[in-house]
Amino acid sequence: MTIILFGPPGCGKGTQSELIAEKYKLKHISTGDILRAEMEMGTELGLSAKKYVNEGKLVPDDVIIGMLMKAIKSIDANLNGVLLDGFPRTTAQAEALEEKLTSSNKQTNVLIDLRVNDKELISRMILRGKATGRVDDNPETIKKRLQVYAEQTYPVKSFYQKLNKYVSIDGLGKIDDIFGKICIEIEKAI
Ligand code: ADP
């Protein structure tokens, strides 16, 4: 099973991903979390990613695709598959993922887009920046991330629409209510 949780920065992917991964026994793969861990440890990958992440830009596709392929390789036998959070973020990443899945006779079950307006996204990320000290959650970098999302990530939507794998959900409201709507879509897709 391969489920993609999609949407702009600050839309709640991280929160919902944890709930989904637990309920459906999936490995939660967050490219943002992996990058932050690598940066914290000061690895070569972390060091090369740092300037992109801190400026709100995307890390180059070859780096991210390599990192993702490694993460999907090892899945515990007791799990049902993967939940991707923050990947794919470009059409090239989507193509690489689907090619990889096709080579083992698989395909993404569904991409779920969490829709949230920019005003709400900005206020959520400002709050998160204050609470967690996440360096890219500051007004200037947030603006850049939203711009990068619109230009480079949004096209991933039409890629999955063409495959008939795209659904969207209103990301405003109570966490549990949104989770309920996500579960309905996952169950239709598996
Ligand atoms: P958010 O969804 O709130 O922007 P993430 O934690 O998913 O946060 O990502 C943080 C940063 O990590 C991004 O702004 C980008 O620099 C980098 N990043 C994460 N995933 C990818 C990806 N798939 N491709 C390129 N860069 C990525």
Side-chain angles (χ1 to χ4, degrees):
M1 201 166 140
T2 303
I3 308 288
I4 301 171
L5 198 58
F6 184 74
C11 71
K13 294 190 294 285
T15 306
Q16 295 295 336
S17 290
E18 304 212 343
L19 299 171
I20 301 166
E22 197 191 333
K23 175 162 174 154
Y24 296 99
K25 292 194 165 44
L26 300 172
K27 177 175 177 178
H28 174 199
I29 300 176
S30 158
T31 44
D33 285 351
I34 300 174
L35 289 171
R36 279 185 290 277
E38 297 278 344
M39 290 182 336
E40 185 113 333
M41 290 185 291
T43 62
E44 204 177 314
L45 172 63
L47 291 174
S48 69
K50 199 166 196 153
K51 69 172 195 303
Y52 298 100
V53 174
N54 290 352
E55 288 175 18
K57 296 178 183 160
L58 294 184
V59 174
D61 281 334
D62 54 340
V63 175
I64 290 288
I65 291 168
M67 196 179 94
L68 195 276
M69 293 305 162
K70 207 172 135 199
I72 60 176
K73 239 185 212 164
S74 58
I75 299 166
D76 288 356
N78 62 330
L79 295 178
N80 297 320
V82 292
L83 174 73
L84 301 179
D85 159 9
F87 185 99
R89 247 181 167 93
T90 62
T91 306
Q93 293 178 17
E95 281 165 357
L97 172 67
E98 297 310 320
E99 259 172 44
K100 170 74 187 162
L101 292 173
T102 305
S103 72
S104 29
N105 282 320
K106 287 190 282 193
Q107 205 184 25
T108 291
N109 297 74
V110 66
L111 175 144
I112 301 171
D113 184 6
L114 271 183
R115 281 181 289 110
V116 175
N117 62 65
D118 280 8
K119 189 163 167 262
E120 171 74 13
L121 294 171
I122 293 167
S123 76
R124 287 185 190 179
M125 284 187 275
I126 301 269
L127 277 179
R128 183 172 67 184
K130 287 189 181 139
T132 65
R134 219 179 109 164
V135 284
D136 58 344
D137 282 340
N138 67 74
E140 194 193 333
T141 314
I142 289 170
K143 197 169 156 224
K144 177 72 185 167
R145 282 154 69 202
L146 290 173
Q147 185 194 339
V148 165
Y149 178 80
E151 289 170 6
Q152 300 183 53
T153 305
Y154 193 71
V156 171
K157 170 180 173 176
S158 54
F159 182 93
Y160 283 93
Q161 276 175 324
K162 284 181 201 138
L163 296 176
N164 268 324
K165 302 286 181 188
Y166 173 88
V167 296
S168 82
I169 284 179
D170 184 355
L172 288 181
K174 292 207 191 87
I175 290 174
D176 284 349
D177 293 343
I178 298 166
F179 179 53
K181 289 187 240 166
I182 291 175
C183 292
I184 293 172
E185 294 302 336
I186 291 180
E187 274 149 48
K188 276 195 236 162
I190 58 178

